[in-house]
Amino acid sequence: MGGDGRSGGSTAPQGRPEPAGPSASTGAHEEGAERLIAEARQQIDDLDGRIIGLVQQRIAVSARIQQARIASGGRRVNLSREMEILRHYESQLGQPGTALAMTLLELCRGRG
């Protein structure tokens, strides 16, 4: 018994309980932080679902534009429009925005 490490509970010097280790699921050391992280992660999951849905909508709209452009004798890709999009994303999100825009443009270019 006592603080010799053989009893069920471990204590820090002066009888204080040792801090709990980080939660395996959140990495938080406190219950309040763990709850906040879990709730915020749920919000992120919800936002990610909405973002994916919006990207899928963007792909569909882009396909309609490409079909109309090709049907009228134009090219599938409009490079000046793509540059405009890249500049917009960079102005709003900085350099990482350019990478995000490139990924979106790649997704929306279609397969043919």
Side-chain angles (χ1 to χ4, degrees):
M1 292 224 212
D4 63 2
R6 286 181 272 169
S7 65
S10 173
T11 58
Q14 301 171 347
R16 290 187 309 250
E18 289 185 6
S23 164
S25 63
T26 66
H29 290 265
E30 296 176 356
E31 185 178 327
E34 186 172 348
R35 187 171 34 257
L36 184 140
I37 291 167
E39 290 171 2
R41 284 182 176 173
Q42 183 59 55
Q43 287 180 307
I44 286 174
D45 291 346
D46 293 345
L47 289 167
D48 284 345
R50 291 169 47 195
I51 290 167
I52 290 167
L54 290 170
V55 169
Q56 291 169 333
Q57 289 178 31
R58 191 186 196 290
I59 291 168
V61 170
S62 183
R64 290 196 334 250
I65 292 169
Q66 290 173 39
Q67 290 167 355
R69 191 182 304 118
I70 291 167
S72 71
R75 298 176 59 149
R76 183 174 58 86
V77 176
N78 181 332
L79 295 178
S80 64
R81 173 65 178 153
E82 288 194 358
M83 291 305 297
E84 183 181 322
I85 292 166
L86 289 169
R87 284 191 299 273
H88 177 69
Y89 272 76
E90 182 178 23
S91 73
Q92 297 299 306
L93 302 172
Q95 189 60 39
T98 303
L100 176 59
M102 289 293 292
T103 299
L104 284 171
L105 291 170
E106 182 179 348
L107 285 168
C108 292
R109 282 187 189 123
R111 305 287 186 253

